[in-house]
Amino acid sequence: MESLYGGFDLAQLRSEDTWHAIAPSLHVCDSAFWQSQQALQLDDTTIDTLAQLTTREGYFQTDPVDWQLPVYDMANLIHALRQLRIPPVFGFVYDEFWLMYVKMQPVLARILGDDYVTLPNVWAWHIDPAANEHGWRPHRDRGRASIFEDGRPKILNVWLPLTDATPINGCMYIVPADRDPTYNTAEEMNMQYQLNDIRALPAAAGSMLAWNQAVLHWGSHAAPRIATPRISIGAEFQRRDVAPFSEPFLEPGTQPTFAARLWMIAEQFKRYRHHHPDDAGLAFLADNLVPGSAS
């Protein structure tokens, strides 16, 4: 099992040198690079509109923004990991994957409060149409316990496409909160929405999408054609003034250590095992990636 990943063993996956070699154009725990980054430049009207949409419809979506980060290289990195049979979530070894979320501070603070926190929950997807792959099936995450009565979120999923997400390669679909009759009710698992209320969310690379954890959403099944894979990343954030949904909290602008990144990646394998029940490799990494964690 230790040599499943493109010839890399556990010791190599635990080494910063390995990751520098895989993607020399990206950064691993580079303090100077991290500190040189600036937040997204968005005007107050735009930010207020995104917050209002999140409350009313349960989500927001934007056109591509100026990240001042190499989104194309980040997508290529995820594709390279897939070719090496290394799980795509290892992209979070690199600073750039964290910095996209750090740069969203003005938006996240407006929606979740100035003292919001980052949760230790991240993921990355590589959905290949040629392999007839699909995203996760229709689901609500934590349901109505994760929103206030007025629809404001206590916790927010932020999903960022690194390649164009289309109906052909498996873009996201959502039932907007204001079109979902059982949303934020005790009957939330009794799905009663109309098919013509489903909203497709095709998104160009570099866009921003976010939704609360009560809204019904899914990644569609890609068409088996030759098309660009849908490569995307996700992370979670919550208000500090409500009970923790996951722990430990991370401070949004703080650069995680390399050891912390490996720990979080291993935790994701445990958290999302149910989505990949037949993947023995993920189970192995969940139990063995962090030294001393073997069960």
Side-chain angles (χ1 to χ4, degrees):
M1 189 67 67
E2 293 191 16
S3 62
L4 275 181
Y5 308 101
F8 297 109
D9 59 23
L10 280 176
Q12 290 172 304
L13 295 179
R14 295 168 180 162
S15 170
E16 290 186 40
D17 291 341
T18 299
W19 303 104
H20 286 299
I22 289 175
S25 68
L26 301 180
H27 299 78
V28 181
C29 298
D30 185 328
S31 296
F33 175 71
W34 186 281
Q35 294 168 9
S36 72
Q37 303 301 308
Q38 301 296 319
L40 291 173
Q41 300 301 304
L42 301 173
D43 62 80
D44 290 342
T45 300
T46 297
I47 294 173
D48 285 346
T49 298
L50 298 180
Q52 292 163 11
L53 285 171
T54 304
T55 298
R56 184 174 69 247
E57 299 185 10
Y59 82 100
F60 74 75
Q61 179 178 12
T62 74
D63 292 331
V65 299
D66 184 11
W67 293 103
Q68 294 292 300
L69 289 171
V71 173
Y72 181 79
D73 289 349
M74 295 165 68
N76 281 344
L77 176 275
I78 295 294
H79 188 68
L81 293 181
R82 176 64 179 266
Q83 300 303 111
L84 292 168
R85 291 180 290 131
I86 295 174
V89 72
F90 272 100
F92 282 91
V93 163
Y94 296 94
D95 293 334
E96 285 82 355
F97 288 77
W98 295 97
L99 285 166
M100 291 188 82
Y101 294 103
V102 172
K103 287 171 174 282
M104 289 183 64
Q105 186 275 336
V107 178
L108 296 176
R110 174 65 180 81
I111 295 172
L112 296 172
D114 290 337
D115 60 348
Y116 75 93
V117 294
T118 305
L119 298 182
N121 302 331
V122 296
W123 198 248
W125 293 265
H126 181 290
I127 306 299
D128 187 356
N132 199 29
E133 293 178 340
H134 58 81
W136 293 344
R137 292 176 173 82
H139 63 286
R140 305 187 196 272
D141 292 317
R142 292 178 172 90
R144 67 191 181 113
S146 66
I147 56 176
F148 294 105
E149 284 299 317
D150 64 3
R152 288 178 300 122
K154 302 175 184 178
I155 181 173
L156 195 68
N157 292 348
V158 181
W159 188 92
L160 304 176
L162 303 182
T163 60
D164 293 349
T166 72
I168 297 300
N169 69 6
C171 71
M172 298 302 299
Y173 285 75
I174 203 163
V175 180
D178 59 349
R179 303 302 305 168
D180 184 344
T182 62
Y183 174 84
N184 199 14
T185 75
E187 300 298 317
E188 65 183 354
M189 298 314 295
N190 181 12
M191 308 306 178
Q192 297 180 10
Y193 60 89
Q194 300 297 309
L195 292 179
N196 60 349
D197 286 328
I198 295 171
R199 189 167 297 167
L201 303 180
S207 305
M208 292 190 295
L209 291 86
W211 50 82
N212 68 40
Q213 293 208 349
V215 75
L216 184 65
H217 63 284
W218 60 93
S220 59
H221 204 133
R225 308 180 189 176
I226 297 175
T228 301
R230 188 262 273 173
I231 297 174
S232 55
I233 59 175
E236 295 182 354
F237 305 86
Q238 76 158 79
R239 298 182 62 93
R240 194 187 295 265
D241 60 359
V242 298
F245 288 95
S246 295
E247 294 183 285
F249 286 164
L250 288 75
E251 295 304 323
T254 300
Q255 185 178 32
T257 66
F258 183 70
R261 298 176 197 205
L262 289 186
W263 175 83
M264 278 184 274
I265 289 167
E267 289 298 301
Q268 307 322 301
F269 298 140
K270 298 174 185 177
R271 185 172 180 236
Y272 292 124
R273 272 182 182 175
H274 63 287
H275 286 297
H276 307 277
D278 299 322
D279 192 330
L282 289 188
F284 176 79
L285 286 175
D287 295 333
N288 295 279
L289 178 62
V290 176
S293 62
S295 58

